[in-house]
Amino acid sequence: MVTLRNTYTDIESWLELQEQNFNQSEIAQFKAAVALAQSYYQNSKFYPTQIATIDHAIACATTVANLNLYADAVIATILFDLPRFTHEWKKEVSVFGDKIIELVDGINKVSQIRKIGTLADVENQIDKSAQIEVIRKMLLAMASDIRVVLIVLVGRGELMLNLKTCQDIDMQKKIANETVKIYAPLANRLGMWQVKWELEDLSLKYLQPEQYKKIATLLEETREERLNYIEVVKSFVSKQMDESGIKDYQVSGRAKHIYSIWRKMKKKNYDFKDLYDIRAIRIIVPEIKDCYTVLGIVHTQYSPIPGEFVDYISNPKANNYQSLHTCVIGHENRVIEIQIRTFAMHDHAEYGVAAHWRYKEVDENGVDQNPEFTEKLAWLRQLLDWRDDLIDKENAAEVFKNEVFNDTIYVMTPNGRVISLPKGSTPIDFAYQLHSNLGHRCRGAKVNGQIVPLNTELENGQKVEVLTVKHGGPSIHWLHEGLVKSSKAISHIRRFIRNQNSEEFYALGKEILDKECAKFATNIRPEVKIIVAKLNLVNEKNLCINLGRGDFSAVELRETIQKIIEQKKASKAEGKDEIILQEIAALEQQAQSKKTPKKIAGVLVDGVSGILTHIAKCCKPLPGDKIIGFITQGNGVAIHRTNCQELSRQAQKFPNKVVTIAWGSGVENMHFNVDIEVVANDRSGLLRDLTVFFASEKLSINGLRSAVKNNKASMLFSIQLNNGVFDFKWLENKVLAIDGVLEVVRK
């Protein structure tokens, strides 16, 4: 749970409770933090509840401690409200260290976001949803330490528990609405499902009190019968798993949450008695292969309901949630929902990022000893962009390609509307984000009430006001001097300038060309006609006009000249195309610079070993396949099968990026994945027979997707090979021998 019931009676007993997980030095700091907090919080209530601020802080700190967020997070939670009581709070907190100041400051800033105003003035529902979306992003972007967000979620859970002490019904609904729209989805994206469910249930209690009470009553009335039935199913499934040789598993009943029941009843117009997934069990096993074995057992012993099987293991949700979900007709012809996952998947599903803090270990030199934790944080920054909830997904895909989440800042208009911009953006970018005409007429800006230059880089949480002239347009120098970062501003400026007089463009472009060429010594400077050819232009005049109107920048011109000089040096290498040589040299350098490069050890690129390579996901070649390489941007050489259609498309666009590669020695010790599609007449026990076959041949199943249409089952198995040897013809004959199988295809 996000909020834990108190097991202490006073501060002394609370400190004794913490001795189970913290050393004496940390306990001493807790005691000092509590003393400091009490000196400021005395007699104050945590608005809008009637709970004492110190009690709220200690309750939150208890949960933070149990989430293993470390002692500094516990101290910061105790002192979270200090900025409200004194402007000198940083001086007071400094005795605990800079990290505590950073955490308290982060909590304070993130907490302030909810005070930027309501969305009552936003009439369009789509605009309102988009604004809520960007506020969620802002919550994450403003937290330099992700634990800040976790602490804020803990605080929100504690607030919701005590919201009943608030006498203002309108305030209760406002906070509940804010919780269900901003904070619960935030917990969802962090993968903190238990937090999400509790926040949603507590919010429904105030938003739909009658429905909440009705569902809670019905659940309680059927509780004993439901628990007895689940015990029967648990016992039966456990017996089947024991007989199959699966060890160290857990089978438990799964609680159905009030909010999710209410939402399903509303969405599908169901009555409570029509819901079949209020009966549910969860099976937790050690390894992924066990998940699919259990799935085979369940579908053999019970009849699966068509269309109700979902494989979130091979196709995880956006927040990296993984599990197998299925609904079957169990004993007494009752439907029961079953979830199957590993212990690691379960940890992530329950507490997400919070569950992984406990595993981070840093040695005395500050080196991360757990690279998996680092990967989790990388995943977090890439996927907490709410892309599943975005309305215009097609447009969003283009934006995210260049302006990914961890390079985004969030600033506000004077009336509190939140605007997202790429990191490094200036007031000009901000103006164009609001309206193209506002960007054209922008001549100055105020940031937090202070006039600033147009080249000022904006920061998270700032309030920006644009200063304009009545008439006018943008300057080409805004592009060449790097005053704009966003693709939207750049395209608007280029479009405006493109419509101006071409002679003026030529003069300006000629000036830029001469200036950039002068930066290189005459003995190495390339001729203008070579620069023109490199840029795929017609002549020097065409080059100057393009420069003058901003079709490409002075920086791009300078980089092009530098590349020509470097390629000229590289072309001296005998028998090699200069571009390929340059690309391979860059890859060699990249591979050497990485401490743990992702190399396919048994692959030679143009006869060279040790180059950064990876198996292409589109065709998944195996040793023995005819292969060819394609140089990618920042990820080395992709290894494709020669008949790969995706490679064919890319090669037509970029023929110079295709390189010769070959399997070398060592592939027999490597792991490979292969996708096998099995088409068969649908029948009971089909999935079991297939999974038993793969298990008997020691072929590990990493993923499964299935579909049934017109009584034909199509199943795509993702199989891990523990060495480079794979005889597809043998596998095909074996699988075709299984009853009902019609076709076996390697994808």
Side-chain angles (χ1 to χ4, degrees), residues 215-261:
I215 295 171
T217 302
L218 289 170
L219 281 174
E220 186 59 33
E221 288 175 353
T222 62
R223 182 173 180 271
E224 185 175 351
E225 178 272 334
R226 192 170 66 252
L227 291 177
N228 289 337
Y229 182 81
I230 286 174
E231 285 302 318
V232 171
V233 176
K234 283 169 55 180
S235 177
F236 180 75
V237 171
S238 296
K239 181 180 178 182
Q240 299 298 318
M241 292 171 66
D242 288 337
E243 292 176 356
S244 298
I246 299 177
K247 301 180 183 300
D248 301 323
Y249 62 84
Q250 287 182 7
V251 182
S252 60
R254 187 176 69 83
K256 191 67 180 177
H257 297 272
I258 296 175
Y259 182 85
S260 61
I261 292 174

Side-chain angles (χ1 to χ4, degrees), residues 149-169:
V149 181
L150 303 183
I151 293 168
V152 169
L153 286 173
V154 168
R156 177 55 57 139
E158 194 65 33
L159 168 61
M160 292 304 298
L161 272 178
N162 296 315
L163 196 55
K164 58 182 177 289
T165 65
C166 172
Q167 302 305 310
D168 186 338
I169 295 178

